[in-house]
């Protein structure tokens, strides 16, 4: 893969500036735990304030109220959330975050690195969520369609951790090969591991974790764009994914000076089918109003849960 610095002068892509912006955003920012007595959702904190996650807002939006011919319309979505308990959500978050981290860490290892996928998985799955156990985590994941290779619990297995390690190794291995064959056909360069952040855009404060930033060239090494890329392991690309991707795109767009504005990309890796589904904001069928729908869902969330202001920072404008 060519070094992107070879194309900076030709295409004016300041990837070092993009890298610096991502690292600054991630400094002193960590993923927040679900608050047991707080409003539903997941949160991010920078040590002095907590913000609702972009994913929680995207999941909360009511897509059933949109016109039936709208790109984001989903009749089955009631806007009531996932129906999972906070504990179940925390278990799923633990597994999916660990899987994403292993995926990215393995992608970035030198070709002759001694660390195996199994070692990386064991590092990430070092302990269950606080006050939880691996068997219950295993049971929750077995019912979650976002982890397709996690088998139902076997009574002969004394610890669910080994079952989860085995499943995640398989999932990451499959995902790595699929990603390289599909998205990897286009040259790209990524900025580090997943980057957690808090961002205030248009007065909306939210947190998130960007999977990767890609400087993409086509097969002829012509500049395509810079993308904030979200990897998904779900059964399909859902309306909520577009809102989440749009929020990440807007969070970093002001600090990324590129030939064209920062674009968003959704890359859904189908482990069972062995394929990728790729959607980008350059596509004609990308919903142009995804960002405005995100803001509407954000307002709807705080209208639904007025006490959220007791736990969460709604906007940077309120910081004293």
């Amino acid at each position: 893969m060519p070094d992107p610095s070879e194309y900076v002068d030709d295409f004016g892509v300041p990837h070092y500036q993009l890298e610096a912006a991502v690292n600054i955003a991630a400094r002193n920012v960590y993923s927040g735990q679900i608050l047991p007595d707080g409003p539903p959702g997941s949160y991010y904190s920078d040590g002095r304030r907590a913000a609702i996650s972009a994913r929680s807002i995207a999941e909360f939006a009511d897509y059933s109220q949109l016109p039936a011919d709208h790109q984001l319309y989903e009749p089955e979505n009631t806007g009531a959330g996932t129906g999972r308990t906070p504990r179940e959500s925390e278990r799923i978050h633990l597994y999916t975050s660990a899987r994403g981290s292993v995926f990215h860490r393995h992608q970035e290892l030198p070709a002759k690195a001694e660390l195996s996928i199994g070692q990386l998985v064991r590092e990430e799955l070092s302990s269950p969520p606080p006050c939880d156990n691996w068997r219950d985590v295993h049971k929750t994941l077995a019912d979650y369609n976002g982890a397709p290779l996690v088998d139902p619990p076997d009574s002969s297995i004394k610890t669910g951790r080994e079952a989860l390690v085995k499943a995640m190794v398989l999932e990451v291995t499959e995902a790595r090969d699929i990603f390289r064959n599909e998205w990897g056909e286009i040259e790209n360069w990524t900025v580090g591991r997943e980057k957690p952040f808090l961002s205030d855009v248009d007065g909306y404060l939210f947190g998130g974790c960007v999977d990767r930033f890609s400087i993409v060239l086509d097969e002829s090494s012509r500049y395509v764009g810079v993308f904030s890329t979200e990897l998904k392991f779900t059964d399909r690309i859902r309306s909520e994914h577009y809102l989440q991707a749009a929020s990440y795109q807007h969070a970093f767009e002001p600090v990324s000076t590129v030939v064209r504005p920062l674009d968003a990309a959704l890359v859904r890796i189908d482990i069972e089918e062995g394929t990728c589904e790729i959607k980008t904001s350059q596509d004609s069928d990308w919903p142009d109003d995804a960002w405005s729908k995100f803001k509407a869902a954000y307002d709807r969330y705080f209208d639904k849960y007025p006490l959220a202001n007791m736990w969460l920072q709604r906007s940077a404008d309120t910081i004293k």
Side-chain angles (χ1 to χ4, degrees), residues 177-299:
D177 295 340
I178 295 167
F179 183 80
R180 289 176 178 174
N181 291 335
E182 302 284 337
W183 182 251
E185 291 177 354
I186 302 173
E187 300 287 7
N188 68 87
W189 178 76
T190 60
V191 180
R193 296 169 59 181
E194 292 180 285
K195 297 296 182 181
F197 68 90
L198 261 68
S199 182
D200 189 279
V201 186
D202 296 343
Y204 294 83
L205 182 69
F206 57 89
C209 196
V210 177
D211 286 338
R212 61 205 296 125
F213 288 88
S214 302
I215 293 178
V216 178
L217 311 172
D218 65 15
E219 292 83 350
S220 302
S221 295
R222 291 175 299 185
Y223 172 66
V224 175
V226 180
F227 298 83
S228 58
T229 306
E230 280 303 294
L231 299 177
K232 298 297 180 184
F233 293 86
T234 49
D235 57 342
R236 62 187 176 88
I237 291 179
R238 300 187 177 91
S239 296
E240 64 202 53
H241 298 154
Y242 288 104
L243 268 65
Q244 182 186 3
S247 69
Y248 291 178
Q249 175 189 9
H250 282 76
F252 287 92
E253 189 175 58
V255 293
S256 58
T257 305
V258 293
V259 173
R260 56 171 290 134
L262 183 69
D263 281 295
L266 289 168
V267 181
R268 185 182 72 86
I269 302 176
D270 191 323
I271 297 172
E272 294 183 303
E273 295 296 327
T275 60
C276 269
E277 180 183 5
I278 300 173
K279 296 288 186 180
T280 80
S281 54
Q282 294 187 8
D283 298 339
S284 59
D285 60 348
W286 184 273
D288 294 332
D289 58 349
W291 172 237
S292 64
K293 298 301 183 189
F294 176 86
K295 293 190 289 186
Y298 191 99
D299 291 333

Side-chain angles (χ1 to χ4, degrees), residues 72-86:
L72 297 174
Y73 173 72
E74 289 193 10
E76 70 276 12
N77 190 302
T78 63
T82 62
R84 303 186 189 99
T85 66

Side-chain angles (χ1 to χ4, degrees), residues 105-167:
R105 289 178 64 186
H106 189 266
Q107 288 280 102
E108 295 157 13
L109 285 175
K112 297 182 179 180
E114 296 181 358
L115 278 177
S116 66
I117 293 180
Q119 288 174 289
L120 294 176
V121 170
R122 291 179 186 280
E123 287 181 9
E124 294 290 339
L125 294 181
S126 59
S127 61
C131 303
D132 213 333
N133 63 79
W134 283 120
R135 289 190 65 83
D136 286 340
V137 173
H138 185 194
K139 291 177 182 178
T140 297
L141 268 297
D143 294 331
Y144 174 58
N145 62 11
L149 301 186
V150 176
D151 294 327
D154 186 337
S155 58
S156 64
I157 300 177
K158 294 183 178 180
T159 170
R161 179 173 181 261
E162 290 306 310
L164 293 177
V165 168
K166 179 181 178 181

Side-chain angles (χ1 to χ4, degrees), residues 52-91:
I52 187 71
S53 72
R55 175 176 293 182
S56 291
I57 292 299
E59 290 177 346
F60 183 78
D62 189 353
Y63 304 100
S64 65
Q65 297 300 311
L66 297 172
D69 59 349
H70 194 283
Q71 294 159 303
L72 297 174
Y73 173 72
E74 289 193 10
E76 70 276 12
N77 190 302
T78 63
T82 62
R84 303 186 189 99
T85 66
R87 179 61 60 84
E88 290 171 336
S89 296
E90 193 171 11
R91 293 167 184 165

